[in-house]
Amino acid sequence: MSTDESYDVIVVGSGGGGLVGAYVAASRGLRTLVIEKTGLVGGTTAYSGAGLWFPGSAPLKRAGAGNDLDDARKYLRSVISDSSREALQDAYLAAGVALIDELERNRWFQSFDHRPVPDYYPSAPGATAAGRTIFPPELPVADLGEHAGLVRKPITTERWGIEEGPVLRGGRALIGRALAAFLETGNGSLSVNTALQSLIVENGRVAGVVAVRDGAPVRLRANRGVLLAAGGFERNAELRAKYRNAPLTAAWTNGAPGNTGDALQAGIAIGATTDLLDEAWYVPGLVHPDGLPVFHTGTRGGIWVNSAGERFVNETGPYDQAGHTIARQHAASAVSHIPAYWVFDQRQLDRDSFGGPPGEPPRREWFTSGALKRADTLDELARLIDVPHGALARTIEEFNGFARTGVDQRFQRGQTPWDQMHQHIVGFAYDPVGNYPAKPSPELANPVLPPLDTPPFYAARIVLSDIGTKGGLKIDEHARVLGTDGRPITGLYAAGNTAAAMSGRVYPGAGTPIGSSLAFAYRAVNDIAG
Ligand SMILES: Cc1cc2nc3c(=O)[nH]c(=O)nc-3n(C[C@H](O)[C@H](O)[C@H](O)COP(=O)(O)OP(=O)(O)OC[C@H]3O[C@@H](n4cnc5c(N)ncnc54)[C@H](O)[C@@H]3O)c2cc1C
């Protein structure tokens, strides 16, 4: 093969797994190149809260969260309930602990914090109410010096131009830290605007990649291995349709713009096997005045209704369970659930604002665009959102009964540690990492079940969205991509949403997607480094 450039390791994609894996490889003395298709690093990881579900890791121990890996293993076994993924689960758990120990020895990563986010299946064996999620510390933009402009902006800035201030938070802090640590090793190179097109196979092993850099093809040799960490295929409408990853449209995803499944297709082209291609990290999306949804979680006032004007889910529950319920009910019933409507009243608006900082009224364009409807009576609101006359009022009458007793007899809203967490915080419809403290509501029997009794009434649209697809190339516990014969393809690794998820069809706890991206990138690099 005639090559333009030669490295030990090539990492495709600069999300969390890509950059952290690249840092670890470069810190082991391997000459490592990260190629990134877009002009910015970070992918969907940069949009995220950067929660990492890493049971047993040092920050949890420091916080006295008493995390036992055996309990976490029991929990994963129970909620995922798929024996074919057990080796991946064990690899994930071991990698999380070792990776955080290793990262925290580097000045850029000191030090992660535990914040209590309850596990998503509270009655499963091994679940904890304190959860196992850790977060990276914030990072002043100025600390990144000349690289500051390389980090992808938050969704709020990219979509609506809202300025983000002088500090990187959540996923942007993780990406900024990983980028700085990687480049500081002296063994790392970054090439943005460089898109993987295909994999080069020589003598039965993956020996490099063909990419397009600034419009020109380039052949890049990887002497030790190629790590595909290029996100999912959430932005590729054709692949979504092909793999029945529907009814979500590619425009409704919260995934980053570059995630069109290129690495998945390159792997398939050389004989890789796949799994879970019909799955996504589904979430509810609140439709904004620009007509596009943003990942929504933490509803603690108001209800969601389908086209029959009926509730269909615990609105406060974990977002992926709500997302899957929307998808399932929409497919299985004659009643439309896409869109569903989030119906609330003036009391709720006064209490929590509209997902954003308390005290802020909805901006005018919410009403002028029709994204938020307002009416003085429930019958008038029902007419505006086209649900049967009387149905909405009946649903709310029943819900108000639950609000009076504090017990939701239909969907048990407010019963779990996750739901109860929302007594203390307001959800984040605008800002993925803004957890606004809630005002105390001593007058309510249950603070996440306030009655809807104060006109005017409001309705906003909820559609099915996702934070990435989760099916992809099948990997083993070393993140080696498997061929259709079930054997590893030498030299080829995958992590994050390019790989089929170790968690199968469930979302065990906050931080599983990025946790999987980091953990399997780490496994891959350890295997490559030998
Ligand atoms: C608002 C929000 C909050 C979230 N919060 C959390 C959270 O707190 N914890 C959590 O675990 N998850 C969270 N998620 C989900 C999580 O961010 C993603 O699932 C995860 O970051 C995906 O990581 P990845 O490494 O697979 O891909 P990404 O981070 O998306 O990175 C993939 C990169 O690969 C690049 N790429 C694609 N194709 C090519 C190509 N051909 N050549 C070169 N480069 C390519 C892309 O441009 C992109 O930069 C959140 C998501 C959103 C939207």
Side-chain angles (χ1 to χ4, degrees):
M1 173 178 94
S2 77
T3 43
D4 301 320
E5 291 163 35
S6 174
Y7 300 87
D8 294 324
V9 180
I10 293 177
V11 176
V12 180
S14 67
L19 283 183
V20 168
Y23 157 69
V24 175
S27 73
R28 304 245 195 296
L30 299 172
R31 284 174 313 106
T32 304
L33 172 70
V34 174
I35 63 169
E36 165 55 48
K37 175 178 175 177
T38 68
L40 298 171
V41 300
T44 311
T45 310
Y47 293 157
S48 78
L52 306 171
W53 195 81
F54 278 155
S57 58
L60 292 170
K61 289 186 184 145
R62 284 198 297 272
N67 262 281
D68 180 0
L69 278 176
D70 288 338
D71 277 348
R73 186 171 297 108
K74 211 183 297 163
Y75 177 69
L76 286 182
R77 295 282 194 270
S78 155
V79 300
I80 297 169
S81 182
D82 176 351
S83 58
S84 72
R85 292 182 202 286
E86 291 183 0
L88 292 181
Q89 293 158 24
D90 293 347
Y92 176 96
L93 292 172
V97 176
L99 172 64
I100 295 303
D101 280 349
E102 187 163 336
L103 293 183
E104 287 195 329
R105 287 198 289 273
N106 180 292
R107 70 183 182 106
W108 285 101
F109 290 105
Q110 287 171 2
S111 60
F112 291 83
D113 286 327
H114 167 59
R115 282 182 238 152
V117 187
D119 286 330
Y120 292 174
Y121 293 87
S123 40
T128 76
R132 284 116 171 180
T133 308
I134 61 170
F135 296 84
E138 295 176 352
L139 178 70
V141 177
D143 287 8
L144 281 180
E146 57 177 319
H147 307 304
L150 272 177
V151 181
R152 180 169 290 288
K153 305 278 180 223
I155 291 186
T156 44
T157 307
E158 286 195 348
R159 282 214 357 218
W160 310 310
I162 296 172
E163 275 308 314
E164 61 165 336
V167 173
L168 303 182
R169 298 195 167 81
R172 289 176 35 68
L174 179 68
I175 291 298
R177 289 176 180 284
L179 177 65
F182 170 58
L183 295 175
E184 202 173 78
T185 61
N187 295 319
S189 313
L190 169 70
S191 185
V192 294
N193 296 313
T194 305
L196 166 81
Q197 282 214 309
S198 59
L199 295 161
I200 297 168
V201 181
E202 262 182 10
N203 305 323
R205 75 185 306 275
V206 171
V209 306
V210 176
V212 173
R213 181 187 281 159
D214 294 324
V218 55
R219 291 166 71 83
L220 305 165
R221 175 176 278 276
N223 296 316
R224 304 281 287 270
V226 171
L227 169 59
L228 302 175
F233 58 93
E234 54 270 13
R235 286 278 169 192
N236 188 324
E238 219 174 278
L239 285 187
R240 290 201 89 122
K242 178 171 171 186
Y243 297 127
R244 293 175 208 217
N245 203 294
L248 178 55
T249 74
W252 284 358
T253 182
N254 282 260
N259 293 357
T260 51
D262 307 347
L264 169 71
Q265 290 176 291
I268 293 171
I270 64 153
T273 190
T274 58
D275 197 11
L276 295 171
L277 292 175
D278 59 341
E279 265 297 346
W281 304 99
Y282 286 121
V283 297
L286 175 67
V287 179
H288 279 247
D290 61 5
L292 294 174
V294 172
F295 170 23
H296 172 77
T297 185
T299 296
R300 56 178 210 132
I303 57 172
W304 300 354
V305 295
N306 56 25
S307 68
E310 289 164 354
R311 290 178 72 211
F312 57 93
V313 71
N314 167 7
E315 301 88 343
T316 310
Y319 38 89
D320 109 290
Q321 292 169 35
H324 275 94
T325 303
I326 294 174
R328 205 172 39 244
Q329 303 252 19
H330 189 72
S333 104
V335 175
S336 166
H337 290 71
I338 304 175
Y341 282 91
W342 178 17
V343 175
F344 54 93
D345 68 346
Q346 189 63 39
R347 171 211 289 265
Q348 170 60 18
L349 197 57
D350 293 343
R351 184 169 82 134
D352 287 343
S353 177
F354 186 46
E360 251 184 32
R363 295 188 315 276
R364 226 180 109 249
E365 60 264 32
W366 277 98
F367 297 106
T368 51
S369 65
L372 188 58
K373 315 248 186 231
R374 175 173 43 198
D376 288 331
T377 65
L378 287 175
D379 281 346
E380 174 62 5
L381 191 72
R383 193 186 61 73
L384 291 177
I385 62 174
D386 203 20
V387 307
H389 183 79
L392 185 62
R394 274 195 302 280
T395 299
I396 288 178
E397 193 185 335
E398 179 189 71
F399 181 80
N400 286 348
F402 300 155
R404 275 191 295 278
T405 60
V407 180
D408 172 7
Q409 285 178 351
R410 216 171 257 282
F411 297 105
Q412 293 74 48
R413 171 164 146 192
Q415 309 275 303
T416 65
W418 166 271
D419 288 12
Q420 285 157 12
M421 174 178 81
H422 293 95
Q423 294 175 11
H424 310 294
I425 61 166
V426 179
F428 40 88
Y430 286 93
D431 175 359
V433 288
N435 289 321
Y436 302 110
K439 288 180 221 154
S441 314
E443 76 285 7
L444 298 175
N446 182 335
V448 299
L449 286 181
L452 285 94
D453 56 6
T454 311
F457 299 98
Y458 298 85
R461 263 180 303 157
I462 298 274
V463 295
L464 184 62
S465 182
D466 70 37
I467 53 176
T469 49
K470 69 183 309 197
L473 303 175
K474 215 167 164 177
I475 55 170
D476 71 3
E477 62 273 25
H478 300 291
R480 297 181 296 190
V481 173
L482 301 175
T484 41
D485 58 1
R487 294 163 56 147
I489 298 174
T490 310
L492 188 62
Y493 299 79
N497 293 341
T498 304
M502 74 86 196
S503 58
R505 296 185 182 277
V506 299
Y507 200 139
T512 320
I514 302 177
S516 302
S517 186
L518 267 56
F520 288 103
Y522 186 59
R523 298 291 293 191
V525 167
N526 281 334
D527 197 70
I528 292 170

